[in-house]
Amino acid sequence: MKQIAVIGGGAAGMMAALAAAKQGCRVTIYEKNEKLGKKIYITGKGRCNVTNNCDMDVLFDSVVTNKRFLYSAFYGFANQDVMDLIEQAGCPLKTERGGRVFPQSDKSSDIISALSRLLREFQVEICLKEPVKSLIIEEGICRGLILERQNRKIEADGVIVAAGGLSYPTTGSDGDGYRFAEEAGHQVTELRPALVPFTTEETVVKELQGLALKNIEISLCRGKKEIYHDFGEMLFTHFGVSGPVLLSASSYGAKELKKGPLTLTIDLKPALTMEQLDARILRDFDEAKNKQFKNSLNKLLPSKMIPVIVERSGIAPEKPVNEITKQERKHLAETVKCFSLTINGLRGFNEAIITQGGVQVKEINPSTMESKKIKKLYFAGEVLDLDAVTGGFNLQIAWSTGYLAGLSAAECVE
Ligand SMILES: Cc1cc2nc3c(=O)[nH]c(=O)nc-3n(C[C@H](O)[C@H](O)[C@H](O)COP(=O)(O)OP(=O)(O)OC[C@H]3O[C@@H](n4cnc5c(N)ncnc54)[C@H](O)[C@@H]3O)c2cc1C
């Protein structure tokens, strides 16, 4: 019976183990943590956005880096396959806004339990608190691995590296997978935190800290070149900006930021044209004729935003509303529709949902996930140079590449 060793008991490792075990292999997972799926536990704010219930085009379009590499993995084990597998394992799912799929219970632990049940059913051996030290490679073939504990040698017919990336290192993924890859002669591309909040040059964000804005439109630019455009929700923090649209923007902005700061423009009223907004302001001013300017914007803007917009508008805060000129009103509308901030950096790996960069995919066979350099060595999940926007797509990458690596290690892929 074929022996398969899987390094890492996260999403990719569990799925790889399951796929290989289903083909009749004897599979062992070596996980350095005291339990499986420590990162899955904290995904989706503890609810686990397990995948996205979208069509294949959207699945591919949501991948930021190396989407073409995922062709076989996605078609071989798609979002629907993940949903079927998890539901059949006794964890009913539901689809929310934007196709995001969650367990009906809203508990990520139910996803981990369902997968653990399957692993038990297929007799996968799980070795917890068992960090792997290195791979055993002889004459271009991976023959097994060495455990940190007592340098124990484990022989295997195939080894799957599913050790994750660098993000949220407290969950166990602290870069060992990249080390294994480099020791096997693989190139690891530059590693950057992604799906991570931005820092801004302007300290005004401190005044806005905690303010969440819904239905805003953002545009991230380097000079005149637009890098990312989106519509949705955002959050101001003491250091800058965060929230769904900005996390997604960070995946596109990370590389660009290396060349210098970027401009973020926020349209606070995207549903209104400049003319419609002017008409709306005029109406509000009409109702607040005898008030000072600073007290006339309550209907238009959240209260935390008012002093900031008042200052940026250039209109004196105490100016009576009925004395505001057409020109000043126009400038106010522009300030509301083009609220700009200078993005000067990203927060670190401790706050990043994923790592951008990883094992160079040119050196991995996309039809099998096997290394092109070392036989019987496979890679899956975040350790690879693959990443996607939020919405369940990163876990889907882990499930799909894990499944394909497991099948291939069991030599079931032609
Ligand atoms: C806060 C947060 C929320 C997220 N929410 C979502 C979401 O809702 N939806 C979504 O799609 N994605 C989400 N993600 C991203 C998603 O969690 C990752 O893309 C996914 O977990 C990657 O799976 P993986 O198996 O490749 O790596 P990991 O889940 O990181 O698993 C790697 C495992 O390998 C183990 N390991 C590492 N080195 C060794 C070693 N030397 N020996 C033994 N074991 C080792 C680690 O302990 C770890 O358990 C989120 C990420 C974070 C941080």
Side-chain angles (χ1 to χ4, degrees), residues 10 71-72 76 149 155 168 180 198 203 228 248 291 296 314 342 353 361 406 410:
Y71 194 86
S72 298
R149 200 163 9 149
E155 288 182 2
Y168 272 68
F180 300 148
F198 284 114
T203 48
Y228 189 74
S248 290
K291 287 189 181 166
S296 68
T342 313
I353 287 178
V361 295

Side-chain angles (χ1 to χ4, degrees), residues 79-96:
N79 44 359
Q80 206 55 56
D81 299 313
V82 176
M83 290 188 263
D84 291 348
L85 182 130
I86 291 173
E87 291 211 305
Q88 281 160 20
C91 175
L93 301 171
K94 59 178 173 180
T95 301
E96 295 190 356

Side-chain angles (χ1 to χ4, degrees), residues 9-113:
M14 283 198 269
M15 195 54 83
L18 195 57
K22 277 184 170 181
Q23 300 304 322
C25 295
R26 273 182 64 163
V27 185
T28 308
I29 296 178
Y30 297 93
E31 167 55 58
K32 66 158 78 150
N33 288 326
E34 67 296 349
K35 58 183 175 190
L36 293 176
K38 207 165 176 180
K39 188 173 272 178
I40 298 179
Y41 192 74
I42 59 163
T43 55
K45 297 195 174 120
R47 298 202 301 137
C48 186
N49 178 192
V50 74
T51 185
N52 196 287
N53 197 351
C54 59
D55 60 31
M56 288 310 269
D57 285 350
V58 176
L59 202 57
F60 281 102
D61 283 346
S62 306
V63 177
V64 177
T65 312
N66 291 320
K67 63 181 82 177
R68 284 171 59 194
F69 176 82
L70 283 163
Y71 194 86
S72 298
F74 273 179
Y75 275 105
F77 193 67
N79 44 359
Q80 206 55 56
D81 299 313
V82 176
M83 290 188 263
D84 291 348
L85 182 130
I86 291 173
E87 291 211 305
Q88 281 160 20
C91 175
L93 301 171
K94 59 178 173 180
T95 301
E96 295 190 356
R97 196 169 42 86
R100 290 164 196 252
V101 178
F102 294 91
Q104 272 182 23
S105 62
D106 284 329
K107 284 189 194 144
S108 56
S109 53
D110 286 350
I111 301 285
I112 304 167
S113 303

Side-chain angles (χ1 to χ4, degrees), residues 46-328:
R47 298 202 301 137
C48 186
N49 178 192
V50 74
T51 185
N52 196 287
N53 197 351
C54 59
D55 60 31
M56 288 310 269
D57 285 350
V58 176
L59 202 57
F60 281 102
D61 283 346
S62 306
V63 177
V64 177
T65 312
N66 291 320
K67 63 181 82 177
R68 284 171 59 194
F69 176 82
L70 283 163
Y71 194 86
S72 298
F74 273 179
Y75 275 105
F77 193 67
N79 44 359
Q80 206 55 56
D81 299 313
V82 176
M83 290 188 263
D84 291 348
L85 182 130
I86 291 173
E87 291 211 305
Q88 281 160 20
C91 175
L93 301 171
K94 59 178 173 180
T95 301
E96 295 190 356
R97 196 169 42 86
R100 290 164 196 252
V101 178
F102 294 91
Q104 272 182 23
S105 62
D106 284 329
K107 284 189 194 144
S108 56
S109 53
D110 286 350
I111 301 285
I112 304 167
S113 303
L115 290 171
S116 303
R117 263 197 304 279
L118 286 176
L119 292 173
R120 268 199 307 277
E121 189 184 322
F122 288 93
Q123 286 159 23
V124 172
E125 192 185 349
I126 296 161
C127 298
L128 300 173
K129 294 195 210 161
E130 201 68 90
V132 173
K133 187 176 166 192
S134 58
L135 303 173
I136 302 172
I137 295 169
E138 289 164 5
E139 291 163 1
I141 303 173
C142 187
R143 300 285 188 196
L145 51 83
I146 297 174
L147 298 176
E148 264 182 24
R149 200 163 9 149
Q150 295 166 340
N151 276 332
R152 219 178 111 206
K153 239 174 138 178
I154 305 288
E155 288 182 2
D157 301 303
V159 174
I160 301 170
V161 177
L166 274 178
S167 54
Y168 272 68
T170 45
T171 61
S173 43
D174 52 9
D176 280 355
Y178 305 126
R179 181 167 57 80
F180 300 148
E182 282 177 336
E183 284 168 5
H186 279 276
Q187 280 185 44
V188 173
T189 64
E190 191 190 337
L191 304 170
R192 285 179 293 263
L195 295 183
V196 65
F198 284 114
T199 56
T200 58
E201 211 164 276
E202 295 82 359
T203 48
V204 70
V205 290
K206 280 203 182 110
E207 288 170 48
L208 298 170
Q209 180 180 349
L211 174 65
L213 297 174
K214 283 188 179 159
N215 304 323
I216 48 97
E217 197 169 338
I218 62 142
S219 169
L220 187 66
C221 296
R222 148 172 311 290
K224 284 193 177 140
K225 182 183 152 204
E226 186 169 77
I227 296 156
Y228 189 74
H229 191 112
D230 204 354
F231 180 89
E233 293 174 30
M234 68 165 289
L235 175 74
F236 288 95
T237 65
H238 65 284
F239 52 76
V241 283
S242 185
V245 288
L246 286 149
L247 292 182
S248 290
S250 73
S251 286
Y252 296 88
K255 215 184 270 175
E256 293 289 331
L257 261 172
K258 293 210 75 185
K259 299 180 212 156
L262 307 174
T263 306
L264 172 71
T265 307
I266 306 163
D267 184 345
L268 298 166
K269 294 285 167 195
L272 303 178
T273 63
M274 204 61 101
E275 293 70 34
Q276 287 168 328
L277 178 59
D278 186 48
R280 161 78 201 270
I281 293 171
L282 205 54
R283 253 198 336 270
D284 287 355
F285 279 3
D286 228 29
E287 285 172 24
K289 253 186 236 133
N290 302 318
K291 287 189 181 166
Q292 292 179 329
F293 172 51
K294 66 177 182 189
N295 297 324
S296 68
L297 299 174
N298 312 39
K299 284 190 180 161
L300 188 69
L301 297 167
S303 55
K304 263 195 178 172
M305 200 80 202
I306 294 173
V308 179
I309 293 287
V310 165
E311 201 198 326
R312 287 191 169 202
S313 74
I315 305 170
E318 276 80 31
K319 190 164 187 172
V321 163
N322 56 13
E323 286 176 22
I324 292 173
T325 66
K326 190 175 172 190
Q327 198 53 35
E328 284 174 323

